[in-house]
Amino acid sequence: MKLAQRDRLFVLTGAGVSAESGLATFRGSGGLWNGYRVEQVATPEAWEADPALVWRFYSMRRREAAAASPNAAHRTLARIENRLGDRFFLCTQNVDDLHERAGSLRVHHMHGSLFQSRCEGCPFLVADTACYESEDSLPRCPRCGSSLRPRIVWFGEIPLDMEGIYRRLDAAAALLVVGTSGSVYPAAGFVHRAVALGIGAMYIGPESPANAEAFDEIRLGPATRELPRLLEEIGAG
Ligand code: APR
Ligand code: ZN
């Protein structure tokens, strides 16, 4: 991957960047929670049917993410951002805060954030690290009394700020995708949009993603090994 002096880099990350911090990916082995598939707990239908189950799942994920630390992949992305400044944009599908804790500033969480809750009935949005694990302690909105839900984009819901994402992607000279299976849209389609616009695209991860054929280059390996190598190569940009 070559970046000229003024080139912008758009990075898309998925669960694979946090895998080496000990957070389970969705589709790998261990991608189950108490025997449930993610699709059974991360949907508006699941929330409708059993909010206590959904809160138990996200409480567990809050606990695990809070106990995890950023790894060399998160840190290397923060170093690349440090060099590129405003020419860097990181769009993550991850809801953990490990990119921020590694020092990334220009991060957009397209699938929401684990440590925020929002009201179902009004625009109330709040930072929230609490765990809600019993039926009778489920949180309510202090403003309107409706249920508070995790601020997560579930299957069937629209990711946050797609317009801003496409504006950044369209302005980029290169797309770097790290640690995502390429099976969940719209994120899995970013590479196809990049190809249509003539933007070079590279994938990093231990396995070929489902949308592999669209990439110009695929580097098979763990993100903590491949990202530092890439940083060496692109130098000061
Ligand atoms: N370094 C880089 N990539 C890795 C590593 C690693 N050390 N370990 C695993 N991976 C890769 C796997 O090869 C796989 O391609 O991470 C990817 C994880 O894929 P998924 O579990 O499908 O996660 P992701 O693509 O982020 O899921 C997308 O689906 O469930 C929804 O909203 C959820 O944001 C999530 C979305
Ligand atoms: Zn409310």
Side-chain angles (χ1 to χ4, degrees), residues 118-125 140-148:
R118 72 170 177 86
C119 179
E120 278 196 315
C122 81
F124 184 74
L125 174 69
R140 299 235 153 234
C141 175
R143 279 215 217 144
C144 76
S146 304
S147 295
L148 282 187

Side-chain angles (χ1 to χ4, degrees), residues 19 133 137:
E133 296 180 283
S137 69

Side-chain angles (χ1 to χ4, degrees), residues 158-182:
I158 300 165
L160 304 175
D161 192 22
M162 286 307 300
E163 204 178 304
I165 291 173
Y166 287 138
R167 194 163 18 86
R168 306 284 189 155
L169 178 59
D170 295 357
L175 168 67
L176 170 64
V177 178
V178 191
T180 172
S181 54

Side-chain angles (χ1 to χ4, degrees), residues 58-88:
Y58 285 100
S59 297
M60 179 274 300
R61 293 190 60 196
R62 280 182 177 180
R63 243 195 326 271
E64 289 184 353
S69 302
N71 65 48
H74 301 106
R75 287 194 295 274
T76 303
L77 287 170
R79 289 179 62 191
I80 295 175
E81 176 177 2
N82 215 13
R83 295 191 183 183
L84 299 183
D86 280 332
R87 294 187 287 133
F88 178 96

Side-chain angles (χ1 to χ4, degrees), residues 14-16 18-19 23-33 36-39 41-42 57-58 61 93-96 111 114 152-153 155 179-181 183-184:
S18 295
L23 299 179
T25 61
F26 294 96
R27 287 162 195 81
S29 57
L32 287 180
W33 173 70
Y36 294 95
R37 288 155 44 82
V38 175
E39 291 82 349
V41 277
F57 175 66
Y58 285 100
R61 293 190 60 196
Q93 297 167 86
N94 298 346
V95 297
D96 66 54
H111 290 167
L114 203 45
I152 301 285
V153 176
F155 287 94
T180 172
S181 54
S183 55
V184 175

Side-chain angles (χ1 to χ4, degrees), residues 10 34 85 151 220:
F10 184 107
N34 282 356
R151 198 209 182 191
L220 291 182

